[in-house]
Amino acid sequence: MNLALQLLFYFNGQYSSRRFVTTHTTLSLLMPILAAVMVLEDNSSTAYLTLNLGLIIIAASLALLPLQLQNSARRSGNHAGWVLLSASVFLLLLSLLAWPLVILTLLIGWFSLNQQPKPSILFHVMRWILLLLSVGWCLYNLYHLWQLPLGS
């Protein structure tokens, strides 16, 4: 998922901002670090440890990719906000299969306004509909997650 987001952000011009690159790299490194802690805590054999640490090293190297992509970053186009909004809609559809993706949908949908040079009324309406659907889907799933420990 991170590699797909990196492609989206690179071709849409978000990597021209150094702050965005730093933030995305930092957030991307959280998962390999968490995975490394979990693997080191629960290792049953040397082969298991070697295989999983190798996969974690690959994930960490892919998470550091935006630091190299900023050297050849493209500029944002006139339709950068629309591209981010359509990617957010696609992620919302994918979140029907894996609901935690709705968090990415919310983040990309929220920050799509900053990337659109002249947002139209249609852009604002579509963005707010997407955000409301995403928040509703997230709250629905969090409610069901909350009900699991209660046994209902």
Side-chain angles (χ1 to χ4, degrees):
M1 182 52 80
N2 189 24
L3 193 57
L5 288 175
Q6 287 173 356
L7 286 171
L8 170 71
F9 295 148
Y10 175 73
F11 287 115
N12 206 29
Q14 275 73 43
Y15 285 154
S16 59
S17 167
R18 183 155 181 83
R19 181 178 172 201
F20 185 84
V21 169
T22 306
T23 305
H24 186 229
T25 304
T26 305
L27 291 175
S28 297
L29 282 174
L30 290 177
M31 290 307 285
I33 290 171
L34 180 65
V37 169
M38 291 172 62
V39 164
L40 292 175
E41 178 184 319
D42 181 38
N43 58 348
S44 57
S45 68
T46 307
Y48 173 80
L49 181 68
T50 306
L51 174 69
N52 285 328
L53 286 179
L55 292 173
I56 290 169
I57 289 170
I58 291 171
S61 64
L62 287 175
L64 294 172
L65 189 61
L67 295 174
Q68 290 297 322
L69 290 177
Q70 76 179 352
N71 295 332
S72 64
R74 298 170 181 239
R75 296 182 53 97
S76 292
N78 292 335
H79 302 293
W82 282 107
V83 171
L84 287 177
L85 202 62
S86 61
S88 190
V89 168
F90 180 71
L91 281 173
L92 181 62
L93 293 174
L94 281 179
S95 74
L96 295 174
L97 300 174
W99 77 267
L101 290 176
V102 78
I103 298 168
L104 291 174
T105 301
L106 285 168
L107 290 173
I108 294 173
W110 183 261
F111 291 112
S112 65
L113 182 63
N114 299 341
Q115 299 299 319
Q116 187 65 21
K118 293 181 181 179
S120 63
I121 298 296
L122 179 65
F123 182 81
H124 284 292
V125 169
M126 295 294 290
R127 180 176 167 259
W128 281 108
I129 288 173
L130 175 77
L131 290 175
L132 290 174
L133 285 173
S134 300
V135 167
W137 180 240
C138 187
L139 290 176
Y140 174 79
N141 285 303
L142 287 176
Y143 173 75
H144 282 288
L145 191 64
W146 175 261
Q147 292 298 318
L148 283 177
L150 299 177
S152 304

